[in-house]
């Protein structure tokens, strides 16, 4: 089972979570701000879990240590499942935010 990624593919998420603190993260519409905050929280939970549970591998990849799959399959499976759950939640919150923001812009 592959659980590796190239760190540069998720770097924009880390920049978003850790760097967007100014006016680009503030909205006048209360509902849009609330939705953005939910998205940002979900993104933060994902990237922080990713940073805590993945490690450098070969060929400039980052991932869950492959030995976990053999030595501790339950830990490996839990980690994969949680990363997938957090990624799905982040995408869901992103879609909700974009849908609401577009709707508010059309009003």
């Amino acid at each position: 089972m592959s659980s590796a990624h190239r760190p540069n593919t998720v770097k924009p998420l880390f920049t978003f979570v850790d760097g967007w603190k100014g006016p680009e993260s503030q909205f006048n519409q209360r509902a849009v701000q609330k939705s953005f905050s939910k998205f940002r929280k979900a993104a933060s939970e994902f990237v922080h879990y990713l940073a805590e549970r993945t490690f450098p591998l070969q060929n400039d990849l980052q991932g869950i240590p492959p030995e976990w799959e053999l030595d501790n399959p339950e830990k490996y499976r839990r980690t994969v499942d949680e990363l997938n759950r957090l990624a799905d939640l982040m995408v869901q919150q992103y879609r909700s935010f974009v849908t609401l923001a577009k709707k508010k812009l059309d009003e």
Side-chain angles (χ1 to χ4, degrees):
M1 176 183 294
S2 176
S3 63
H5 63 278
R6 297 210 180 278
N8 62 340
T9 61
V10 293
K11 187 175 180 181
L13 286 172
F14 283 92
T15 300
F16 165 66
V17 167
D18 295 331
W20 281 33
K21 302 204 187 304
E24 67 274 10
S25 64
Q26 299 167 3
F27 298 90
N28 294 330
Q29 294 269 341
R30 190 172 293 204
V32 174
Q33 183 65 49
K34 184 177 180 180
S35 183
F36 177 79
S37 295
K38 287 180 178 180
F39 164 51
R40 185 182 192 137
K41 181 177 187 252
S44 179
E45 289 173 0
F46 173 73
V47 298
H48 288 103
Y49 192 85
L50 186 72
E52 292 170 358
R53 296 299 199 295
T54 63
F55 303 89
L57 304 173
Q58 296 175 345
N59 302 321
D60 192 34
L61 293 173
Q62 182 92 3
I64 300 167
E67 60 270 15
W68 287 9
E69 192 169 16
L70 298 173
D71 299 341
N72 195 340
E74 186 177 319
K75 180 178 184 178
Y76 183 86
R77 184 81 244 147
R78 273 194 325 264
T79 304
V80 169
D81 289 348
E82 184 65 3
L83 280 171
N84 287 333
R85 185 189 73 77
L86 291 170
D88 288 345
L89 177 63
M90 179 182 62
V91 169
Q92 177 187 15
Q93 293 299 334
Y94 170 76
R95 288 179 176 157
S96 294
F97 164 66
V98 170
T99 299
L100 179 63
K102 283 181 169 185
K103 179 181 172 187
K104 293 293 183 180
L105 284 171
D106 287 342
E107 288 181 355

